[in-house]
Amino acid sequence: MIRKCLFPAAGYGTRFLPATKAMPKEMLPIVNKPLIQYAVEEARDAGLQHMAIVTGRGKRALEDHFDISYELEHQIRGTEKEKFLAGTRELIETCTFAYTRQVEMKGLGHAILSGRPLIGDEPFAVVLADDLCLNLQGDGVLAQMIKLYKKFRCSIVAIQEVPRDQTHKYGVIAGELISEGIYRVNSMVEKPAPEDAPSNLAIIGRYILTPDIFDLIADTQPGKGGEIQITDALMKQAQNGCVLAYKFEGLRFDCGGAEGYIDATNFCYEQLYLKGL
Ligand code: UTP
């Protein structure tokens, strides 16, 4: 079954400059917890135990976050502040963390390919930590997708309906509805203008990928924006076999930009932090 989760976290985060000049975007806090921790918790809650993080220059803080800080922990031992580190400590104790560097930022597809040595020849999940997904009503988005994978055994992308004038920010799919909320993908277009978009079903930052995706990415030429796009490789996979798109249950905040980040902060403050969750 699926054991590993890949977190591509090597991007420059230019939409959040200057905050992201010396600090990874994935370390931006939503209230008091960094985005990467929400992402790892979602993966852990979906039953995944091995976390594989693709980092880049200036991303050391990610590794330090999932490590023990002896001095700090000694300092707060026995005080009520200890509880603030309990969640991180639990992740460190129950999951493994492995890292690799993407040396040149050649796009999401390339970042996923850089993670190949950490994943090997098995199906895996991909989480983009700057897309914060929360489902207070039930299973997290990745857990929902893993259930689906058990049934269909093929690559799955999470999708969301977006306003037509937003399609240029996403990979957009066209597909045939096979059951409620589940589409079999026929085509995918990266960041289409509204008039070229095949639908308003946009891919967000959650994927389940079968390992044949690696060879497909390796054969993919740079596409839109000169980057190696995961959507191009997924399109080949859809043509060769099957890729599903899944309209997930829950909320998604695009924390790579100010608006989504503020919405996520307000939501988490009211729904989680004030309730002590
Ligand atoms: P984004 O499109 O959000 O790019 O990448 P970005 O560089 O992080 O942010 P902006 O647009 O400049 O503000 C989507 C995800 O893919 C990762 C990013 O870290 C993010 O999680 N990524 C992107 C890589 O790991 N490597 C890349 O070369 C590109």
Side-chain angles (χ1 to χ4, degrees), residues 223-240:
K224 197 118 188 179
E227 297 193 329
I228 297 177
Q229 302 287 356
I230 186 65
T231 39
D232 292 339
L234 277 166
M235 190 57 224
K236 287 186 233 167
Q237 221 179 25
Q239 281 160 353
N240 296 345

Side-chain angles (χ1 to χ4, degrees), residues 8-15 25-26 102 105-108 111 128 130:
Y12 290 119
T14 54
R15 280 174 294 157
K25 167 166 77 173
E26 296 75 13
Q102 186 188 16
M105 308 335 164
K106 293 200 230 165
L108 177 57
L128 306 186
D130 51 347

